[in-house]
Structure formats: C-alpha cells, structure tokens
Amino acid sequence: KLPDEERGLLPKAFFTKGLEAKGVSKEAVQSIVLKVVHQDAEGKMSAFRRKGGVSFDEEWAKLEDAPCEASAAWQAGVEHLQESLMQEFGVPG
C-alpha cells in the first residue's frame, strides 16, 4: 500500500490555481480545499490526492456541473507547479 504522500501531493497554491483555471467556482474550490488540503511531512499546506480515507476524485465527483474530469483538474495544478519551477530555474516555456 502506498503512503498518502506517494498517491499525489501538490502545494495548496498550485492546487487552487489549477482548479480556478479549469473554471471551478471559488465556493467549490474552498469546499474541496477544506477536505483535501492538509499539512504535509515538511509542515507545508498541500493538497493530497488521497488522505485519511478522503479522495480528491470522490470529492470532485460530488461537484454539480464539474467543468472537466478529476484527472484533468489535478493535472492543471501540476502544470501550474511545473510552470513555476521552470520560471524559477530560467527554463523557457
């Protein structure tokens, strides 16, 4: 069994940016954040794909009129993180 951290983990800021970029309402973002964002092993606030029996995919499925699949919403957060890292290290995007 994989530890929660190895199932998927994103810094909160990039997670929320990804959801907002997909057109998720502020209220829905806040609702999901309350369920899937926890303090990680380093003490930072991070979104977990699965933590303590709560799954991002299951929470996403509860949204009315979700703008995309859960995997695409999660990927949007990953892409925001990748963009940030590339800019930080001066890699053209």
Side-chain angles (χ1 to χ4, degrees), residues 2-37:
L2 287 175
D4 292 332
E5 295 81 17
E6 292 182 23
R7 294 178 180 271
L9 182 79
L10 279 170
K12 179 183 175 186
F14 297 104
F15 174 71
T16 56
K17 283 182 187 177
L19 296 183
E20 290 167 358
K22 286 295 185 182
V24 179
S25 72
K26 296 268 188 202
E27 296 80 19
V29 169
Q30 187 60 30
S31 174
I32 292 172
V33 162
L34 288 173
K35 298 201 171 100
V36 303
V37 171

PDB file of all heavy atoms in Angstrom, residues 2-37:
ATOM      1  N   LEU A   2       0.568   2.182  -0.867  1.00  0.00           N
ATOM      2  CA  LEU A   2       1.342   3.424  -0.954  1.00  0.00           C
ATOM      3  C   LEU A   2       0.975   4.379   0.172  1.00  0.00           C
ATOM      4  O   LEU A   2      -0.205   4.521   0.511  1.00  0.00           O
ATOM      5  CB  LEU A   2       1.061   4.131  -2.272  1.00  0.00           C
ATOM      6  CG  LEU A   2       1.643   3.549  -3.541  1.00  0.00           C
ATOM      7  CD1 LEU A   2       1.145   4.341  -4.743  1.00  0.00           C
ATOM      8  CD2 LEU A   2       3.154   3.562  -3.502  1.00  0.00           C
ATOM      9  N   PRO A   3       1.979   5.082   0.714  1.00  0.00           N
ATOM     10  CA  PRO A   3       1.662   6.160   1.672  1.00  0.00           C
ATOM     11  C   PRO A   3       0.887   7.273   0.958  1.00  0.00           C
ATOM     12  O   PRO A   3       1.008   7.450  -0.257  1.00  0.00           O
ATOM     13  CB  PRO A   3       3.037   6.669   2.105  1.00  0.00           C
ATOM     14  CG  PRO A   3       4.024   5.659   1.642  1.00  0.00           C
ATOM     15  CD  PRO A   3       3.408   4.906   0.517  1.00  0.00           C
ATOM     16  N   ASP A   4       0.098   8.019   1.709  1.00  0.00           N
ATOM     17  CA  ASP A   4      -0.715   9.091   1.126  1.00  0.00           C
ATOM     18  C   ASP A   4       0.107  10.047   0.278  1.00  0.00           C
ATOM     19  O   ASP A   4      -0.325  10.478  -0.790  1.00  0.00           O
ATOM     20  CB  ASP A   4      -1.443   9.875   2.226  1.00  0.00           C
ATOM     21  CG  ASP A   4      -2.509   9.045   2.916  1.00  0.00           C
ATOM     22  OD1 ASP A   4      -3.066   8.123   2.272  1.00  0.00           O
ATOM     23  OD2 ASP A   4      -2.792   9.319   4.085  1.00  0.00           O
ATOM     24  N   GLU A   5       1.326  10.387   0.745  1.00  0.00           N
ATOM     25  CA  GLU A   5       2.166  11.351   0.037  1.00  0.00           C
ATOM     26  C   GLU A   5       2.561  10.859  -1.355  1.00  0.00           C
ATOM     27  O   GLU A   5       2.828  11.648  -2.247  1.00  0.00           O
ATOM     28  CB  GLU A   5       3.452  11.644   0.825  1.00  0.00           C
ATOM     29  CG  GLU A   5       3.222  12.338   2.151  1.00  0.00           C
ATOM     30  CD  GLU A   5       2.800  11.382   3.268  1.00  0.00           C
ATOM     31  OE1 GLU A   5       2.979  10.153   3.135  1.00  0.00           O
ATOM     32  OE2 GLU A   5       2.247  11.873   4.260  1.00  0.00           O
ATOM     33  N   GLU A   6       2.588   9.545  -1.549  1.00  0.00           N
ATOM     34  CA  GLU A   6       3.011   8.995  -2.831  1.00  0.00           C
ATOM     35  C   GLU A   6       1.845   8.782  -3.791  1.00  0.00           C
ATOM     36  O   GLU A   6       2.035   8.382  -4.929  1.00  0.00           O
ATOM     37  CB  GLU A   6       3.785   7.695  -2.610  1.00  0.00           C
ATOM     38  CG  GLU A   6       5.113   7.953  -1.929  1.00  0.00           C
ATOM     39  CD  GLU A   6       5.935   6.698  -1.727  1.00  0.00           C
ATOM     40  OE1 GLU A   6       5.730   5.712  -2.448  1.00  0.00           O
ATOM     41  OE2 GLU A   6       6.794   6.722  -0.829  1.00  0.00           O
ATOM     42  N   ARG A   7       0.653   9.086  -3.369  1.00  0.00           N
ATOM     43  CA  ARG A   7      -0.520   8.963  -4.235  1.00  0.00           C
ATOM     44  C   ARG A   7      -0.776  10.258  -4.998  1.00  0.00           C
ATOM     45  O   ARG A   7      -1.586  10.287  -5.904  1.00  0.00           O
ATOM     46  CB  ARG A   7      -1.757   8.612  -3.405  1.00  0.00           C
ATOM     47  CG  ARG A   7      -1.676   7.257  -2.781  1.00  0.00           C
ATOM     48  CD  ARG A   7      -2.901   6.988  -1.938  1.00  0.00           C
ATOM     49  NE  ARG A   7      -2.833   5.691  -1.335  1.00  0.00           N
ATOM     50  CZ  ARG A   7      -3.295   4.582  -1.900  1.00  0.00           C
ATOM     51  NH1 ARG A   7      -3.828   4.630  -3.089  1.00  0.00           N
ATOM     52  NH2 ARG A   7      -3.193   3.440  -1.279  1.00  0.00           N
ATOM     53  N   GLY A   8      -0.118  11.321  -4.619  1.00  0.00           N
ATOM     54  CA  GLY A   8      -0.283  12.617  -5.265  1.00  0.00           C
ATOM     55  C   GLY A   8      -0.327  13.712  -4.233  1.00  0.00           C
ATOM     56  O   GLY A   8      -1.043  13.603  -3.236  1.00  0.00           O
ATOM     57  N   LEU A   9       0.478  14.736  -4.456  1.00  0.00           N
ATOM     58  CA  LEU A   9       0.613  15.824  -3.499  1.00  0.00           C
ATOM     59  C   LEU A   9       0.961  17.085  -4.274  1.00  0.00           C
ATOM     60  O   LEU A   9       1.837  17.057  -5.135  1.00  0.00           O
ATOM     61  CB  LEU A   9       1.751  15.469  -2.534  1.00  0.00           C
ATOM     62  CG  LEU A   9       2.081  16.401  -1.406  1.00  0.00           C
ATOM     63  CD1 LEU A   9       1.077  16.202  -0.275  1.00  0.00           C
ATOM     64  CD2 LEU A   9       3.473  16.097  -0.882  1.00  0.00           C
ATOM     65  N   LEU A  10       0.238  18.171  -4.013  1.00  0.00           N
ATOM     66  CA  LEU A  10       0.510  19.460  -4.654  1.00  0.00           C
ATOM     67  C   LEU A  10       0.472  20.559  -3.604  1.00  0.00           C
ATOM     68  O   LEU A  10      -0.410  20.539  -2.735  1.00  0.00           O
ATOM     69  CB  LEU A  10      -0.578  19.792  -5.687  1.00  0.00           C
ATOM     70  CG  LEU A  10      -0.496  19.171  -7.049  1.00  0.00           C
ATOM     71  CD1 LEU A  10      -1.784  19.443  -7.822  1.00  0.00           C
ATOM     72  CD2 LEU A  10       0.690  19.732  -7.802  1.00  0.00           C
ATOM     73  N   PRO A  11       1.387  21.535  -3.686  1.00  0.00           N
ATOM     74  CA  PRO A  11       1.260  22.690  -2.794  1.00  0.00           C
ATOM     75  C   PRO A  11      -0.117  23.336  -2.980  1.00  0.00           C
ATOM     76  O   PRO A  11      -0.636  23.412  -4.103  1.00  0.00           O
ATOM     77  CB  PRO A  11       2.374  23.623  -3.255  1.00  0.00           C
ATOM     78  CG  PRO A  11       3.385  22.714  -3.901  1.00  0.00           C
ATOM     79  CD  PRO A  11       2.565  21.640  -4.554  1.00  0.00           C
ATOM     80  N   LYS A  12      -0.703  23.774  -1.896  1.00  0.00           N
ATOM     81  CA  LYS A  12      -2.063  24.322  -1.914  1.00  0.00           C
ATOM     82  C   LYS A  12      -2.240  25.405  -2.971  1.00  0.00           C
ATOM     83  O   LYS A  12      -3.236  25.410  -3.694  1.00  0.00           O
ATOM     84  CB  LYS A  12      -2.410  24.876  -0.528  1.00  0.00           C
ATOM     85  CG  LYS A  12      -3.782  25.494  -0.453  1.00  0.00           C
ATOM     86  CD  LYS A  12      -4.045  26.098   0.908  1.00  0.00           C
ATOM     87  CE  LYS A  12      -5.384  26.818   0.933  1.00  0.00           C
ATOM     88  NZ  LYS A  12      -5.591  27.526   2.201  1.00  0.00           N
ATOM     89  N   ALA A  13      -1.297  26.340  -3.073  1.00  0.00           N
ATOM     90  CA  ALA A  13      -1.453  27.455  -4.010  1.00  0.00           C
ATOM     91  C   ALA A  13      -1.583  26.973  -5.449  1.00  0.00           C
ATOM     92  O   ALA A  13      -2.406  27.482  -6.213  1.00  0.00           O
ATOM     93  CB  ALA A  13      -0.277  28.419  -3.883  1.00  0.00           C
ATOM     94  N   PHE A  14      -0.791  25.988  -5.846  1.00  0.00           N
ATOM     95  CA  PHE A  14      -0.841  25.486  -7.219  1.00  0.00           C
ATOM     96  C   PHE A  14      -2.093  24.647  -7.442  1.00  0.00           C
ATOM     97  O   PHE A  14      -2.680  24.672  -8.524  1.00  0.00           O
ATOM     98  CB  PHE A  14       0.426  24.700  -7.551  1.00  0.00           C
ATOM     99  CG  PHE A  14       1.646  25.568  -7.494  1.00  0.00           C
ATOM    100  CD1 PHE A  14       2.520  25.491  -6.433  1.00  0.00           C
ATOM    101  CD2 PHE A  14       1.898  26.501  -8.489  1.00  0.00           C
ATOM    102  CE1 PHE A  14       3.639  26.308  -6.360  1.00  0.00           C
ATOM    103  CE2 PHE A  14       3.009  27.321  -8.428  1.00  0.00           C
ATOM    104  CZ  PHE A  14       3.881  27.228  -7.362  1.00  0.00           C
ATOM    105  N   PHE A  15      -2.503  23.922  -6.418  1.00  0.00           N
ATOM    106  CA  PHE A  15      -3.738  23.144  -6.496  1.00  0.00           C
ATOM    107  C   PHE A  15      -4.928  24.069  -6.756  1.00  0.00           C
ATOM    108  O   PHE A  15      -5.712  23.836  -7.680  1.00  0.00           O
ATOM    109  CB  PHE A  15      -3.912  22.366  -5.187  1.00  0.00           C
ATOM    110  CG  PHE A  15      -5.213  21.636  -5.077  1.00  0.00           C
ATOM    111  CD1 PHE A  15      -5.474  20.526  -5.851  1.00  0.00           C
ATOM    112  CD2 PHE A  15      -6.173  22.052  -4.165  1.00  0.00           C
ATOM    113  CE1 PHE A  15      -6.673  19.839  -5.733  1.00  0.00           C
ATOM    114  CE2 PHE A  15      -7.368  21.372  -4.038  1.00  0.00           C
ATOM    115  CZ  PHE A  15      -7.621  20.266  -4.822  1.00  0.00           C
ATOM    116  N   THR A  16      -5.032  25.139  -5.964  1.00  0.00           N
ATOM    117  CA  THR A  16      -6.170  26.039  -6.126  1.00  0.00           C
ATOM    118  C   THR A  16      -6.101  26.789  -7.453  1.00  0.00           C
ATOM    119  O   THR A  16      -7.129  26.978  -8.109  1.00  0.00           O
ATOM    120  CB  THR A  16      -6.286  27.036  -4.951  1.00  0.00           C
ATOM    121  OG1 THR A  16      -5.081  27.766  -4.817  1.00  0.00           O
ATOM    122  CG2 THR A  16      -6.585  26.322  -3.653  1.00  0.00           C
ATOM    123  N   LYS A  17      -4.909  27.206  -7.883  1.00  0.00           N
ATOM    124  CA  LYS A  17      -4.777  27.858  -9.191  1.00  0.00           C
ATOM    125  C   LYS A  17      -5.245  26.946 -10.315  1.00  0.00           C
ATOM    126  O   LYS A  17      -5.888  27.390 -11.263  1.00  0.00           O
ATOM    127  CB  LYS A  17      -3.321  28.271  -9.451  1.00  0.00           C
ATOM    128  CG  LYS A  17      -2.884  29.505  -8.734  1.00  0.00           C
ATOM    129  CD  LYS A  17      -1.443  29.823  -9.108  1.00  0.00           C
ATOM    130  CE  LYS A  17      -0.911  30.965  -8.280  1.00  0.00           C
ATOM    131  NZ  LYS A  17       0.498  31.253  -8.566  1.00  0.00           N
ATOM    132  N   GLY A  18      -4.893  25.679 -10.219  1.00  0.00           N
ATOM    133  CA  GLY A  18      -5.307  24.719 -11.234  1.00  0.00           C
ATOM    134  C   GLY A  18      -6.818  24.579 -11.304  1.00  0.00           C
ATOM    135  O   GLY A  18      -7.401  24.571 -12.393  1.00  0.00           O
ATOM    136  N   LEU A  19      -7.462  24.483 -10.149  1.00  0.00           N
ATOM    137  CA  LEU A  19      -8.923  24.366 -10.124  1.00  0.00           C
ATOM    138  C   LEU A  19      -9.578  25.617 -10.689  1.00  0.00           C
ATOM    139  O   LEU A  19     -10.518  25.535 -11.484  1.00  0.00           O
ATOM    140  CB  LEU A  19      -9.421  24.110  -8.695  1.00  0.00           C
ATOM    141  CG  LEU A  19      -8.992  22.811  -8.032  1.00  0.00           C
ATOM    142  CD1 LEU A  19      -9.634  22.700  -6.649  1.00  0.00           C
ATOM    143  CD2 LEU A  19      -9.326  21.606  -8.876  1.00  0.00           C
ATOM    144  N   GLU A  20      -9.066  26.780 -10.285  1.00  0.00           N
ATOM    145  CA  GLU A  20      -9.624  28.040 -10.787  1.00  0.00           C
ATOM    146  C   GLU A  20      -9.431  28.168 -12.290  1.00  0.00           C
ATOM    147  O   GLU A  20     -10.313  28.654 -12.998  1.00  0.00           O
ATOM    148  CB  GLU A  20      -9.010  29.220 -10.037  1.00  0.00           C
ATOM    149  CG  GLU A  20      -9.471  29.285  -8.584  1.00  0.00           C
ATOM    150  CD  GLU A  20      -8.660  30.248  -7.731  1.00  0.00           C
ATOM    151  OE1 GLU A  20      -7.700  30.871  -8.223  1.00  0.00           O
ATOM    152  OE2 GLU A  20      -9.011  30.365  -6.529  1.00  0.00           O
ATOM    153  N   ALA A  21      -8.289  27.693 -12.796  1.00  0.00           N
ATOM    154  CA  ALA A  21      -8.023  27.757 -14.233  1.00  0.00           C
ATOM    155  C   ALA A  21      -8.998  26.878 -15.016  1.00  0.00           C
ATOM    156  O   ALA A  21      -9.283  27.159 -16.183  1.00  0.00           O
ATOM    157  CB  ALA A  21      -6.584  27.322 -14.533  1.00  0.00           C
ATOM    158  N   LYS A  22      -9.511  25.857 -14.378  1.00  0.00           N
ATOM    159  CA  LYS A  22     -10.485  24.980 -15.024  1.00  0.00           C
ATOM    160  C   LYS A  22     -11.905  25.525 -14.917  1.00  0.00           C
ATOM    161  O   LYS A  22     -12.848  24.919 -15.401  1.00  0.00           O
ATOM    162  CB  LYS A  22     -10.424  23.565 -14.420  1.00  0.00           C
ATOM    163  CG  LYS A  22      -9.209  22.783 -14.862  1.00  0.00           C
ATOM    164  CD  LYS A  22      -9.280  22.526 -16.350  1.00  0.00           C
ATOM    165  CE  LYS A  22      -8.167  21.663 -16.844  1.00  0.00           C
ATOM    166  NZ  LYS A  22      -8.240  21.464 -18.293  1.00  0.00           N
ATOM    167  N   GLY A  23     -12.064  26.671 -14.258  1.00  0.00           N
ATOM    168  CA  GLY A  23     -13.381  27.294 -14.172  1.00  0.00           C
ATOM    169  C   GLY A  23     -14.216  26.872 -12.978  1.00  0.00           C
ATOM    170  O   GLY A  23     -15.421  27.081 -12.955  1.00  0.00           O
ATOM    171  N   VAL A  24     -13.562  26.302 -11.975  1.00  0.00           N
ATOM    172  CA  VAL A  24     -14.286  25.894 -10.764  1.00  0.00           C
ATOM    173  C   VAL A  24     -14.570  27.147  -9.931  1.00  0.00           C
ATOM    174  O   VAL A  24     -13.694  27.998  -9.759  1.00  0.00           O
ATOM    175  CB  VAL A  24     -13.454  24.874  -9.950  1.00  0.00           C
ATOM    176  CG1 VAL A  24     -14.185  24.453  -8.690  1.00  0.00           C
ATOM    177  CG2 VAL A  24     -13.124  23.667 -10.813  1.00  0.00           C
ATOM    178  N   SER A  25     -15.785  27.268  -9.429  1.00  0.00           N
ATOM    179  CA  SER A  25     -16.163  28.448  -8.640  1.00  0.00           C
ATOM    180  C   SER A  25     -15.340  28.534  -7.364  1.00  0.00           C
ATOM    181  O   SER A  25     -14.865  27.517  -6.841  1.00  0.00           O
ATOM    182  CB  SER A  25     -17.650  28.397  -8.282  1.00  0.00           C
ATOM    183  OG  SER A  25     -17.881  27.406  -7.295  1.00  0.00           O
ATOM    184  N   LYS A  26     -15.201  29.740  -6.856  1.00  0.00           N
ATOM    185  CA  LYS A  26     -14.455  29.954  -5.607  1.00  0.00           C
ATOM    186  C   LYS A  26     -15.054  29.128  -4.470  1.00  0.00           C
ATOM    187  O   LYS A  26     -14.335  28.575  -3.643  1.00  0.00           O
ATOM    188  CB  LYS A  26     -14.468  31.438  -5.211  1.00  0.00           C
ATOM    189  CG  LYS A  26     -13.766  32.344  -6.191  1.00  0.00           C
ATOM    190  CD  LYS A  26     -12.342  32.531  -5.816  1.00  0.00           C
ATOM    191  CE  LYS A  26     -11.722  33.588  -6.708  1.00  0.00           C
ATOM    192  NZ  LYS A  26     -10.293  33.483  -6.763  1.00  0.00           N
ATOM    193  N   GLU A  27     -16.396  29.043  -4.429  1.00  0.00           N
ATOM    194  CA  GLU A  27     -17.066  28.291  -3.368  1.00  0.00           C
ATOM    195  C   GLU A  27     -16.726  26.802  -3.463  1.00  0.00           C
ATOM    196  O   GLU A  27     -16.466  26.152  -2.456  1.00  0.00           O
ATOM    197  CB  GLU A  27     -18.585  28.489  -3.443  1.00  0.00           C
ATOM    198  CG  GLU A  27     -19.041  29.907  -3.211  1.00  0.00           C
ATOM    199  CD  GLU A  27     -18.888  30.818  -4.437  1.00  0.00           C
ATOM    200  OE1 GLU A  27     -18.760  30.317  -5.577  1.00  0.00           O
ATOM    201  OE2 GLU A  27     -18.874  32.038  -4.243  1.00  0.00           O
ATOM    202  N   ALA A  28     -16.742  26.270  -4.679  1.00  0.00           N
ATOM    203  CA  ALA A  28     -16.432  24.851  -4.866  1.00  0.00           C
ATOM    204  C   ALA A  28     -14.961  24.577  -4.548  1.00  0.00           C
ATOM    205  O   ALA A  28     -14.637  23.552  -3.938  1.00  0.00           O
ATOM    206  CB  ALA A  28     -16.769  24.413  -6.289  1.00  0.00           C
ATOM    207  N   VAL A  29     -14.080  25.489  -4.950  1.00  0.00           N
ATOM    208  CA  VAL A  29     -12.651  25.339  -4.633  1.00  0.00           C
ATOM    209  C   VAL A  29     -12.482  25.278  -3.119  1.00  0.00           C
ATOM    210  O   VAL A  29     -11.810  24.394  -2.594  1.00  0.00           O
ATOM    211  CB  VAL A  29     -11.801  26.482  -5.233  1.00  0.00           C
ATOM    212  CG1 VAL A  29     -10.387  26.462  -4.675  1.00  0.00           C
ATOM    213  CG2 VAL A  29     -11.779  26.404  -6.751  1.00  0.00           C
ATOM    214  N   GLN A  30     -13.111  26.201  -2.416  1.00  0.00           N
ATOM    215  CA  GLN A  30     -12.992  26.243  -0.955  1.00  0.00           C
ATOM    216  C   GLN A  30     -13.515  24.960  -0.324  1.00  0.00           C
ATOM    217  O   GLN A  30     -12.911  24.412   0.601  1.00  0.00           O
ATOM    218  CB  GLN A  30     -13.734  27.459  -0.394  1.00  0.00           C
ATOM    219  CG  GLN A  30     -13.519  27.685   1.083  1.00  0.00           C
ATOM    220  CD  GLN A  30     -12.065  27.904   1.459  1.00  0.00           C
ATOM    221  OE1 GLN A  30     -11.279  28.423   0.685  1.00  0.00           O
ATOM    222  NE2 GLN A  30     -11.696  27.502   2.654  1.00  0.00           N
ATOM    223  N   SER A  31     -14.612  24.445  -0.836  1.00  0.00           N
ATOM    224  CA  SER A  31     -15.187  23.216  -0.309  1.00  0.00           C
ATOM    225  C   SER A  31     -14.225  22.041  -0.472  1.00  0.00           C
ATOM    226  O   SER A  31     -14.024  21.247   0.459  1.00  0.00           O
ATOM    227  CB  SER A  31     -16.502  22.918  -1.034  1.00  0.00           C
ATOM    228  OG  SER A  31     -17.008  21.674  -0.652  1.00  0.00           O
ATOM    229  N   ILE A  32     -13.599  21.933  -1.640  1.00  0.00           N
ATOM    230  CA  ILE A  32     -12.653  20.845  -1.888  1.00  0.00           C
ATOM    231  C   ILE A  32     -11.395  21.032  -1.040  1.00  0.00           C
ATOM    232  O   ILE A  32     -10.875  20.075  -0.468  1.00  0.00           O
ATOM    233  CB  ILE A  32     -12.314  20.754  -3.388  1.00  0.00           C
ATOM    234  CG1 ILE A  32     -13.550  20.286  -4.167  1.00  0.00           C
ATOM    235  CG2 ILE A  32     -11.146  19.810  -3.634  1.00  0.00           C
ATOM    236  CD1 ILE A  32     -13.395  20.329  -5.667  1.00  0.00           C
ATOM    237  N   VAL A  33     -10.910  22.278  -0.957  1.00  0.00           N
ATOM    238  CA  VAL A  33      -9.706  22.574  -0.164  1.00  0.00           C
ATOM    239  C   VAL A  33      -9.900  22.127   1.294  1.00  0.00           C
ATOM    240  O   VAL A  33      -9.001  21.530   1.886  1.00  0.00           O
ATOM    241  CB  VAL A  33      -9.349  24.076  -0.254  1.00  0.00           C
ATOM    242  CG1 VAL A  33      -8.409  24.496   0.867  1.00  0.00           C
ATOM    243  CG2 VAL A  33      -8.723  24.388  -1.609  1.00  0.00           C
ATOM    244  N   LEU A  34     -11.051  22.395   1.844  1.00  0.00           N
ATOM    245  CA  LEU A  34     -11.313  22.018   3.237  1.00  0.00           C
ATOM    246  C   LEU A  34     -11.191  20.509   3.454  1.00  0.00           C
ATOM    247  O   LEU A  34     -10.851  20.061   4.546  1.00  0.00           O
ATOM    248  CB  LEU A  34     -12.708  22.483   3.664  1.00  0.00           C
ATOM    249  CG  LEU A  34     -12.865  23.980   3.866  1.00  0.00           C
ATOM    250  CD1 LEU A  34     -14.329  24.326   4.113  1.00  0.00           C
ATOM    251  CD2 LEU A  34     -11.990  24.484   5.000  1.00  0.00           C
ATOM    252  N   LYS A  35     -11.438  19.730   2.415  1.00  0.00           N
ATOM    253  CA  LYS A  35     -11.423  18.272   2.557  1.00  0.00           C
ATOM    254  C   LYS A  35     -10.098  17.633   2.191  1.00  0.00           C
ATOM    255  O   LYS A  35      -9.740  16.596   2.745  1.00  0.00           O
ATOM    256  CB  LYS A  35     -12.541  17.688   1.720  1.00  0.00           C
ATOM    257  CG  LYS A  35     -13.898  18.173   2.209  1.00  0.00           C
ATOM    258  CD  LYS A  35     -15.005  17.291   1.772  1.00  0.00           C
ATOM    259  CE  LYS A  35     -16.286  17.695   2.455  1.00  0.00           C
ATOM    260  NZ  LYS A  35     -17.151  18.485   1.654  1.00  0.00           N
ATOM    261  N   VAL A  36      -9.346  18.215   1.248  1.00  0.00           N
ATOM    262  CA  VAL A  36      -8.154  17.515   0.747  1.00  0.00           C
ATOM    263  C   VAL A  36      -6.828  18.200   1.063  1.00  0.00           C
ATOM    264  O   VAL A  36      -5.772  17.640   0.800  1.00  0.00           O
ATOM    265  CB  VAL A  36      -8.246  17.232  -0.778  1.00  0.00           C
ATOM    266  CG1 VAL A  36      -9.487  16.427  -1.101  1.00  0.00           C
ATOM    267  CG2 VAL A  36      -8.169  18.499  -1.602  1.00  0.00           C
ATOM    268  N   VAL A  37      -6.864  19.406   1.621  1.00  0.00           N
ATOM    269  CA  VAL A  37      -5.615  20.103   1.954  1.00  0.00           C
ATOM    270  C   VAL A  37      -5.288  19.861   3.427  1.00  0.00           C
ATOM    271  O   VAL A  37      -6.126  20.056   4.304  1.00  0.00           O
ATOM    272  CB  VAL A  37      -5.698  21.615   1.637  1.00  0.00           C
ATOM    273  CG1 VAL A  37      -4.485  22.347   2.178  1.00  0.00           C
ATOM    274  CG2 VAL A  37      -5.820  21.829   0.134  1.00  0.00           C
TER     275      VAL A  37
END
